[in-house]
Amino acid sequence: MDDNPYAAPQSSDSAVGVLSGSREDLRAVARYQKVILICIAIYLLAVVSQFLLPETLRLFLGLGMLAVGLTGAVFTFMLAIKVYGTGIGILLGLLTLIPCIGLIALLAVNAKATNVLKQNGIPVGLLGADSSSI
């Protein structure tokens, strides 16, 4: 007897796994995840390319990695606030700035974002969720 004809209509506009429960924050999670996936790809490419570049060009690679690290930290913080909360968001954002641990933090936040999106029925591919499916 779950079907009460006199019950108020339930909104299907809520999102599971996002602290606010709003679909707009779910869209933000998908956007932030795309940026984090790009940061992970650039990070892995930079690690491989540091062995292939001459020593004089490694300084430029390091400066580029600093920019990628800062971008990853900012978006990790913004994504973690949506799914974990402020305290964990600050912690994961700071951990992202540490070279090898930062990659682990990026992968952990990416995995949580993937789980949140899949819980809401949004297909997630190699480069994140499709914006039109949200």
Side-chain angles (χ1 to χ4, degrees):
M1 291 276 173
D2 290 322
D3 299 319
N4 182 357
Y6 303 109
Q10 299 295 323
S11 173
S12 64
D13 200 31
S14 65
V16 179
V18 182
L19 292 180
S20 69
S22 73
R23 297 291 282 180
E24 188 58 39
D25 280 348
L26 194 62
R27 286 184 191 89
V29 166
R31 281 193 309 264
Y32 299 157
Q33 184 193 28
K34 282 186 185 256
V35 175
I36 288 174
L37 285 169
I38 291 169
C39 287
I40 291 171
I42 292 173
Y43 190 97
L44 293 176
L45 283 172
V47 167
V48 171
S49 66
Q50 84 176 9
F51 297 111
L52 302 174
L53 286 176
E55 199 167 321
T56 56
L57 294 177
R58 289 186 188 162
L59 174 67
F60 297 112
L61 181 67
L63 291 174
M65 282 306 299
L66 180 64
V68 169
L70 289 174
T71 303
V74 167
F75 280 93
T76 298
F77 171 71
M78 292 185 337
L79 182 88
I81 282 178
K82 300 282 185 200
V83 295
Y84 289 120
T86 306
I88 302 292
I90 292 171
L91 178 68
L92 287 171
L94 290 175
L95 285 177
T96 305
L97 298 174
I98 301 171
C100 289
I101 296 173
L103 181 61
I104 295 169
L106 286 172
L107 291 171
V109 170
N110 178 47
K112 177 66 174 179
T114 300
N115 284 339
V116 167
L117 292 170
K118 285 185 177 182
Q119 283 176 348
N120 289 288
I122 299 168
V124 180
L126 184 61
L127 293 177
D130 185 22
S131 303
S132 64
S133 63
I134 300 173

